[in-house]
Amino acid sequence: MALKHLSELKDLLVDKPVRRMVLAAAQDHNSLVSTLKAAGDGFIEPILVGDKEAIQAIASELAMDLTGIRIIHEPDTEMSVEIAVKMVRSNQADILMKGKVGTSSLLKAVLNKEWGLRSGSLLSHFAYFEVPAYHKLIAVTDVAMNIAPSLHDKISIVNNSVACLNKLGIEMPKVAVLGAVEMVSENMQATLDAALLSKMNQRDQIKHCIIDGPLAFDNAISLESANHKGIRSDVAGDTDLLLMPDIEVGNVLYKSLVFFAHSEVAAVILGATAPIVLTSRSDSDQAKYYSILLAAATARTE
Amino acid sequence: MAEKVRSSGLRHRIAVAWAQDLNTVGSLNRAVSEGFAEAVMIGNREKIIKTCRETGADPGRFTIIEAGDEKKAASLAVDMTASGETDIVMKGLVGTDKFLKAVMDKEHGLLPAKAVMSYVCAVEIPAYHKLLFITDTAVIPFPDLAQKVAMAEYAIAMARRFGIEKPSVALIGASEKVSSHFPNTLDYSVMCKMAERGQISSCVMDGPVDLFLACDPESVRIKGIDTPLAGDADILLFPSLEACNPFYKGLMLFGKGELAGMICGTSRPVVLMSRSESELSKYYCVALACLMAMPKDMN
């Protein structure tokens, strides 16, 4: 069943065990607000790792109640990240979220060979958009992590995203591999990769989804536009996942959906043993809140 | 095919370079006596007449033009065809490299600029229920993507001439899996998408597939692979000359096959075959070239 609104993520979490989310370097105004809201709504059980005094100061400033919330005091940022990651690894938490720490420090800890959260897959960014002009939620990957993914990387990125969509109840997500045109051209590597991904999907080398590409953006999201071009495709016009050729295209699309198309978005990092919520300061509180819900809806279920 | 050519009422003029071996003369003698060809034999006049006598052909049936050596014979044959005096050029006893050099000559040759030259064979084998078109047995050692696309187009065009409107094209590999360890499987995937998007002439294309999936419905059923070819391929495109060449020779030698083949990509049909080919195969090659030389609306 396709989702239409990000608020439907809440429905997916009803009657499910509450996920434990550890916030690394929790003395962070931005992430604390949405964490406490999601906790207050009963969707997650937060664990705050960081400078306890600073955390309490922010809470009182925001007039938020920390009663009953577990806080692990660790003033050193790097140590607090390590503690948070190890908690996920030892199954004391189901989701990792970034607080007042640089993205690169957090990812370095996630990728630590001894105690990190490596799953063998590539880490990739997954953004889930509610676009008013589209008939269902649409996922976009990768707009933030992988700069110029190779074919091999794209396979991992698709697999990560498809597994995530499957967990959200979309059994056979339709994946559009984006190009500038729907034709294959030797001069545009993205179109060649798209053709390869399609064939690998046909041969069951990439499972649990339907892949078509290259598709230009308009063909991917509008059946009328695909028909106009005479494209026969099971994906065109009904795309669940847009695979970006590279980060520049992805990032611009992401931002234009937010700023021009007034979309709401939720995002997680996939490919580790647990979902990672890694929002930036410029994200709205709503986006952060939905990102936490998205992580909760796709976290492991043992 | 031969029947179609015979009954067309057309007579094609063939320039033959260094036409002094038994099989060449024999095959042309049959084509001329069946009325669909006229032959201009270029070479050593005495030897040509002697060879005709040996095969029991009347030298008076042919136009004979004297040429000093095989290189001159090749360039004269190509010149005549380029200028429209003849419709088809055929290799006799001249070496393949000298012959092709004349064909590919930038000023006087028959190969348009940037055109890909390739080779397509139609093979008849008792073990298959229809003709198989295979490429490339003879010209391109390791075709790249653009060359493979051209090869597919030539084979599709030839199949059309045999009345197959939408031929099934199998892109042959060792298995049906896509793998960067087998670069041809990557080209094949790209070609399938090109066919899907209408960038290749109308056909049913799939690949990589192995020969079983291409030509044996039972294997398709057992393997459970969803392929539109369904074991009923018309065209087999091979990843390299060294894969395709032994395949056709195996069919000739062990599969009781007969073949008709020609060079594709040239402005006029070019008949070229191995010297060891049988007289019947050479006759079929001549007939094929005549078929391809026919105006398209006669098909």
Side-chain angles (χ1 to χ4, degrees), chain B residues 110-177:
Chain B
L110 295 169
L111 194 65
K114 290 184 182 169
V116 174
M117 191 170 81
S118 177
Y119 201 91
V120 182
C121 274
V123 189
E124 179 186 324
I125 25 170
Y128 200 56
H129 60 286
K130 57 183 173 180
L131 286 182
L132 260 182
F133 298 86
I134 63 173
T135 184
D136 174 331
T137 55
V139 176
I140 309 173
F142 299 103
D144 62 19
L145 176 62
Q147 289 169 322
K148 287 188 185 98
V149 170
M151 284 159 60
E153 289 286 5
Y154 297 149
I156 291 167
M158 189 182 282
R160 289 244 167 85
R161 288 294 182 121
F162 283 78
I164 305 161
E165 273 307 306
K166 197 172 179 182
S168 289
V169 185
L171 310 173
I172 299 294
S175 91
E176 73 283 1
K177 296 288 184 201

Side-chain angles (χ1 to χ4, degrees), chain A residues 151 182-186 191-192 194-196 198-200 202-205 211-215 231-233, chain B residues 145-146 176-179 185-190 192-194 196-197 199 205-209 225-227:
Chain A
L151 175 67
E182 71 283 1
M183 298 294 184
V184 182
S185 163
E186 263 198 284
T191 67
L192 301 180
L196 289 165
S198 304
K199 181 57 75 176
M200 294 181 85
Q202 272 174 32
R203 293 288 190 260
D204 238 6
Q205 292 172 264
I211 301 180
D212 191 20
L215 287 170
I231 301 168
R232 287 174 295 108
S233 166
Chain B
L145 176 62
E176 73 283 1
K177 296 288 184 201
V178 180
S179 162
T185 67
L186 307 183
D187 285 353
Y188 289 167
S189 306
V190 170
C192 290
K193 185 59 71 176
M194 291 176 78
E196 212 180 300
R197 294 284 191 261
Q199 294 171 269
M205 183 176 278
D206 197 16
V209 288
I225 305 288
D226 184 21
T227 167

Side-chain angles (χ1 to χ4, degrees), chain A residues 13-196:
Chain A
L13 292 167
V14 172
D15 300 331
K16 294 263 176 68
V18 175
R19 301 270 176 264
R20 300 155 300 174
M21 187 182 88
V22 59
L23 178 58
Q27 61 280 13
D28 175 46
H29 193 285
N30 276 290
S31 46
L32 209 47
V33 176
S34 37
T35 300
L36 294 176
K37 182 168 190 298
D41 291 348
F43 296 121
I44 54 153
E45 178 192 325
I47 305 156
L48 310 178
V49 184
D51 187 327
K52 193 168 182 175
E53 273 179 38
I55 293 168
Q56 283 166 336
I58 293 169
S60 63
E61 190 189 315
L62 293 168
M64 295 189 97
D65 187 10
L66 290 177
T67 313
I69 290 177
R70 188 173 167 203
I71 302 176
I72 298 170
H73 178 61
E74 176 49 67
D76 181 75
T77 304
E78 204 174 308
M79 271 311 294
S80 75
V81 171
E82 185 173 331
I83 291 167
V85 167
K86 283 178 171 170
M87 287 185 78
V88 176
R89 185 174 167 107
S90 61
N91 207 17
Q92 297 173 65
D94 309 302
I95 302 161
L96 175 67
M97 183 167 178
K98 178 178 94 85
K100 202 176 182 59
V101 55
T103 300
S104 58
S105 308
L106 186 89
L107 291 179
K108 201 176 149 200
V110 167
L111 292 173
N112 184 287
K113 280 185 183 149
E114 278 169 53
W115 46 262
L117 304 176
R118 284 169 177 265
S119 73
S121 180
L122 184 74
L123 293 187
S124 64
H125 185 272
F126 175 92
Y128 210 22
F129 282 95
E130 179 178 335
V131 187
Y134 197 60
H135 60 282
K136 58 181 173 181
L137 296 185
I138 188 164
V140 181
T141 188
D142 180 330
V143 306
M145 282 212 74
N146 292 285
I147 295 165
S150 65
L151 175 67
H152 191 74
D153 295 341
K154 286 176 186 172
I155 295 168
S156 296
I157 293 169
V158 169
N159 281 331
N160 284 348
S161 308
V162 166
C164 180
L165 288 165
N166 291 158
K167 280 180 193 161
L168 294 170
I170 300 153
E171 277 172 31
M172 287 294 272
K174 296 174 181 175
V175 182
V177 185
L178 277 199
V181 288
E182 71 283 1
M183 298 294 184
V184 182
S185 163
E186 263 198 284
N187 299 324
M188 291 187 270
Q189 185 61 41
T191 67
L192 301 180
D193 287 354
L196 289 165

